Amino acid sequence: MDFFEKNRQSIKKTAPHLIEILDSLPPPPRAIKTESGDVTVQLGGVSIASSVNPAAEGRKFAMAQSGASGGILVYGLGLGYHLESLLELLPDIAVTAVEANMELISAAMHYRDLSALFSNDRFSLVTGRNETELAAGFSRKVGASGGDLKIVIHPPSYRCLPSGYDGIRKSFETLLSERRFKSRFGGQEEKNIRKNLHAVSRSAGVSAVYARMRGRPAVLAGAGPSLDRNLPLLDWLQDKVFILAADTASAALSSAGIACHATVSVDPQPSSAEHYMEEPPPAPLIFFPTTHPSVVELHKHRRLLAVKKSHSIFKRAEEL
């Protein structure tokens, strides 16, 4: 049975911009009957739901979120099993699904009756015709939450994230790593991550400078008595080595006419911006998602995102 038209009428109210896109798509891959009698589908070799019991799999996903006290934002519409279970098991929680893959949305609408899900006042779907539209809707949801929003990922849907959505991928990975900060470092890092989301999604990774560094000696310049003592040496070396400057040292180097090849700012505290009260150096800024946003905003030159390798709070984001 095809549920597309019924779902189409339901989604008109919550995501009218989707209708024109979905109407232009070819039919999705055929549905696969599971052992429980429900359906699943494969996209690009990825099984979107269990081939045994998709509904039970959806309940298990929802039960893992039972401690949520605010809203839940999920990357992944999937075939809707997990979202239906979230709304059922958490009757006081609003659920938002973010989905970039139009082929996946089409498959869900053809093969499952999701009209009750789409009509539920506690459910909303965020999507868009491109990453810019999707990111705007996603940012609005995160910003409107006031910080009381649990971020989770539906793994099969996430594996089907289309190419060209690297900013969304980075944003979700960053938000997931942020969940570790609350218990260990208080609220400052959490606030910084949320304010830095725009910069995170639009910055290249720190590996962009690796090629320039390869095979060259490097100097890490930090503030302290040794910096004052070695400024003449750094002046002589600046065309011969790669100079990486901590934000605390950048002003001293600039005053001495020494050009660094990159600056690094990792301090989550607002006082770190004091090092950039003068014009920031015209070198790339390497920053963490937790770097204080005033530093990131002040730096108008190229920005490169970094995370601490093997550090538990960044473990989920290391691959970036």
Side-chain angles (χ1 to χ4, degrees), residues 38-50:
D38 292 313
V39 296
T40 185
V41 69
Q42 283 201 345
L43 294 180
V46 177
S47 183
I48 303 303
S50 167

Side-chain angles (χ1 to χ4, degrees), residues 219-238 241 243 249 252-253 256-259:
V219 172
L220 175 61
S226 63
L227 179 63
D228 295 332
R229 186 169 60 248
N230 288 300
L231 280 175
L233 180 59
L234 284 175
D235 186 22
W236 178 75
L237 283 173
Q238 63 178 312
V241 301
I243 299 177
L253 292 179
I258 299 169

